[in-house]
Structure formats: structure tokens, C-alpha cells
Amino acid sequence: MTRPLRLSLNMSGVGRHTAAWTHPTSTPGAELDIDHFVGIAQLAEEGLFDAVFLADSPALGTDEHGIPHRFEPLGLLAAIAVSTERIGLIGTVSTTYNDPVTVADRAFSLHTLSGGRAAINAVASAGDRIAANFGLAGQPDHGQRYANAETFLTTVRDRWEQLSTGAADRPLVVQAGGSARGRELAARHADVVYAGGHGIQDALALDADLRARAAAHGRPPGTPLVLPGVIPYLAETTAEAHRLADRLDAVQRGRIDPIAWLGPIVGADLTGLDPEGPLPVEALPTDPDRLSGASLAGLARTLGEREGLTIRGIAERLHAGGFGNIQTHLHGTAEEIADTLIGWHRRGVAGVNLLLPLQPSGVERFVARVVPLLQRAGVHRTTYRTDTIAGHLGLDPAPAPAPSTGPATALNTATHKGTS
């Protein structure tokens, strides 16, 4: 095997789909059970995954069916660390609502106690609802949030250098921002990038763009490692896989006002428009400060332009799957899913970040059915050969990225008073 397909698993509660809790295989409330997450991580380790990943937001969701609380990622990963041996551990932290030295120390502690398996996923945290959770009237603007993120990650890296006992002895940095500022941040700082998009062409285009940007900052070839998100609906037949997706989507249909719900996402007042009519894509703002999230806003435009969905169709598609919608959806048998992943890998995709619609059942099925096919094709390891997350991913974390060429910007200390 020349270069393995990198596999990261997003451990999203009882599943990445927002209606996963309604499925017969799910246990509602398991999101608050540490053993649930430990079990998922152990399944991923059994499947020889490179890492497990915990997403997070420093505010609760607005869905009345959502859980009222969730574990803080780095704390939960510490519990997972003592119940696993080799798999990498990636936790999300907000660069807008955290103190960088505190985060650096916590991440380094996780890295040390896990034997070199930790990474942080740095996010700039968009949204006025999050800002209100920290006593602010509104979110810092897009430019300020990414200036803060630049300073935040520089401070974190400096702190890790103080704590490290060796050149490569630090956690990794993961990033997932889709805007131009987000890509520049990733090009300077990220070891790994979680990517949205639809299909292999989007994945390869982003990979080329990020590597060109990274090279312009003096970083070594092959950095950062880009892992596009994939949501596999795996079943005994392709038709059954589509039925599973339709069943989950149907739970969420008809529960929102599409005009009121979609407007803030695309940054426009849609009042007065026909929900059964087209989204006026050409009139939508592209200013990132008017968008609640560049990735979802971009997807809304794509669904209007490429698929011709109505305002209602776009809103219900986005609402049904949440942020899972910005990933590539695959429907099929184990053989079909494996063939797609193998084909992607042979065309230049380094690996994928998997978001199973159902957990743990989806993870169990993927490990039992798809992983052996990947191994048989020679694109997935048959044993761990290293003990650290950097080793698994084939990364050397020692070289520091080039500093920003822009002016240094002080952190907005008013926003740095919470937890991730």
C-alpha cells in the first residue's frame, strides 16, 4: 500500500442527520452518555480510522427536539483517550469566544495524556445567537473574527512551543472555514482541512487552491491535508439507502416557515416572495458579514442554481440535514460506497471525514462492511503502524507555518471569556 485513504469520523450524537433520534436503532438521550461516545470511538479504532472528531458550537440550537446540553469536546475526548489506544482525537474550539493560552494548555494536556493523539479544530463561530450567549449585542464582523483567529492560532502555536519537549511534540490544527478568509487562515496554520462541497471535483478544486495558498506562504508541499466530508447512506440495496435518507428527511418537512428560516442564512429579507418560487440567487449578498455561515449560504445558492429547487425546497433540504448538507451524500451498498471512495482516492483525494447519519449503527455497518473492501483494494491499513495522530496522517507537525503578511490584530478581549 503506497498511501492509505485517511479516515476521520465525526461523532455526532446519535447520528449526523437531525432526525437520527427517531430511527429505531437510535437511543434518544445517548448524546449525554459518555459510554455512547466511547463506544463509537472504539468502533472507529477497530476500523483503524485515523481520528475521531467532535464538532461544537458555543450556543445551543433552536430546534425544540434538540438536546438541551452537550459535552465540551476536549473534556469528552479526555474520557475517550483513556478508553482507546491509537486513534486520533480532534476537538472543536472557538477562536472568537476562548482565551488562546487556556485552549493551548488544555489541548496540550489532552495531547500528553493521550500519547500524542490530540488536535484542535479551530472555528471562528458565526452568528448573533452565539454572540448573545456571551453578552454581546451582535457577532464581531467577519474580518474581525478571522483577524482574531489569526492571532489566536499564532498564540496557541507559540504556547505549544513553550510546552513542547521535542520539535514535533504538539497537537495538530484542523480548520474548516469555506470563505476566502477561512482558506487563507487554513493555508497559514492548518495541518488538516475539513472540506464541504459536492463531489470529487469540488474536493480536488479546494485541495489545489489550499495547497497553492500554502505554498505562497512558504509551507512544504502536500500541506494542508484536505479531507472532504462524506455522508454515506449504507444499506443492502441502493433503493433501500435512498429510502433511509427519505425517511429521515420526512421527519423534518413542514416544520419551518421557509421564508423566515432561509432569509438569515442567505443574508436577505425574503419577505413577500413565493415559497414555491425560485430563490433570486443573483440578488443575494455575497458579503460574509451578512451571512450566518458562508458554507450553508453557498449551498443554498448551489441548490437554486444547479438543482433548480424552490425557496421551500432549499429551506427544507437545509433544515432536514443541517450542516450535513454541505457534505457529499452517497447512497448505496457497501460495494458501491467503497468503490466511490477508492475511485476518489485514486484520483487524488487524500481521505474523507465521514459523517454517519446514524450512530452507532451506521459506524458498526461501515466498519464491518466497507472497511474490509477498502483493505482488500489496498487503500486502507490493516494495522496501525504509528501511535500518534501526526503519524497516522503522515504529517510532520514540526515546521511552523509562515506568519500572516497582514497587520497584527489584537484579540477582541470582550469575546474571549467563554468556553469552547
Side-chain angles (χ1 to χ4, degrees):
M1 181 172 64
T2 55
R3 52 184 180 85
L5 177 73
R6 313 300 182 185
L7 292 180
S8 168
L9 175 67
N10 186 321
M11 297 193 297
S12 300
V14 294
R16 190 66 182 107
H17 199 286
T18 53
W21 62 276
T22 67
H23 195 270
T25 63
S26 295
T27 303
E31 300 94 337
L32 302 181
D33 181 356
I34 291 177
D35 289 339
H36 170 75
F37 289 97
V38 168
I40 292 172
Q42 289 173 335
L43 282 170
E45 190 167 63
E46 179 184 332
L48 303 172
F49 279 51
D50 296 274
V52 290
F53 161 59
L54 285 170
D56 191 42
S57 172
L60 296 178
T62 57
D63 186 348
E64 65 270 23
H65 294 294
I67 59 172
H69 171 72
R70 57 176 160 255
F71 290 110
E72 186 278 321
L74 298 184
L76 178 55
L77 288 173
I80 292 172
V82 299
S83 298
T84 55
E85 296 180 356
R86 311 288 279 277
I87 197 163
L89 308 165
I90 305 172
T92 298
V93 297
S94 170
T95 61
T96 304
Y97 301 99
N98 273 299
D99 172 72
V101 174
T102 301
V103 166
D105 287 357
R106 291 168 56 209
F108 199 86
S109 294
L110 176 61
H111 194 61
T112 301
L113 71 85
S114 65
R117 295 190 280 143
I120 61 169
N121 174 47
V123 298
S125 302
D128 289 340
R129 183 173 53 83
I130 296 174
N133 202 41
F134 292 86
L136 302 177
Q139 68 172 355
D141 66 37
H142 184 79
Q144 183 63 55
R145 284 186 288 112
Y146 275 94
N148 286 353
E150 172 69 38
T151 309
F152 184 100
L153 288 176
T154 299
T155 303
V156 165
R157 292 291 298 268
D158 288 346
R159 179 60 173 166
W160 285 342
E161 287 186 13
Q162 294 173 350
L163 297 170
S164 294
T165 57
D169 183 23
R170 66 163 176 86
L172 298 185
V173 173
V174 183
Q175 208 269 336
S179 68
R181 291 292 297 267
R183 292 186 183 200
E184 274 298 297
L185 184 71
R188 287 192 294 271
H189 289 282
D191 299 295
V192 178
V193 171
Y194 284 149
H198 287 261
I200 186 173
Q201 294 305 327
D202 285 355
L204 292 176
L206 178 63
D207 183 87
D209 178 67
L210 284 172
R211 293 192 178 194
R213 291 173 187 259
H217 289 290
R219 299 189 63 190
T223 43
L225 188 69
V226 177
L227 303 181
V230 170
I231 300 184
Y233 287 86
L234 174 61
E236 296 301 319
T237 67
T238 305
E240 186 180 337
H242 281 286
R243 283 196 296 271
L244 171 60
D246 290 342
R247 178 194 186 283
L248 295 173
D249 285 351
V251 175
Q252 302 289 54
R253 293 192 187 111
R255 293 180 49 211
I256 57 169
D257 176 344
I259 298 295
W261 190 86
L262 188 60
I265 289 176
V266 298
D269 183 358
L270 304 181
T271 303
L273 296 180
D274 180 2
E276 309 307 331
L279 180 69
V281 173
E282 68 285 348
L284 298 180
T286 57
D287 178 0
D289 287 335
R290 296 182 61 184
L291 308 174
S292 63
S295 296
L296 274 182
L299 177 58
R301 300 173 72 97
T302 297
L303 293 175
E305 291 175 328
R306 294 187 191 175
E307 299 190 24
L309 295 186
T310 65
I311 291 175
R312 183 184 302 280
I314 294 170
E316 291 197 337
R317 175 81 68 86
L318 296 184
H319 181 254
F323 271 99
N325 280 292
I326 67 175
Q327 322 296 339
T328 298
H329 289 214
L330 301 179
H331 305 80
T333 64
E335 291 75 14
E336 289 170 328
I337 300 294
D339 285 347
T340 297
L341 296 180
I342 292 166
W344 279 28
H345 186 54
R346 289 176 175 165
R347 291 180 59 187
V349 175
V352 293
N353 180 35
L354 290 171
L355 305 92
L356 278 299
L358 301 172
Q359 291 188 146
S361 61
V363 184
E364 292 172 347
R365 176 169 286 193
F366 189 94
V367 169
R369 303 288 301 279
V370 179
V371 164
L373 298 175
L374 299 177
Q375 292 171 326
R376 193 175 307 158
V379 301
H380 187 54
R381 62 174 62 90
T382 56
T383 185
Y384 284 115
R385 299 183 182 278
T386 63
D387 296 319
T388 67
I389 186 171
H392 298 339
L393 294 171
L395 297 172
D396 177 6
S404 169
T405 56
T409 305
L411 290 171
N412 181 349
T413 55
T415 65
H416 284 269
K417 58 181 181 180
T419 59
S420 61

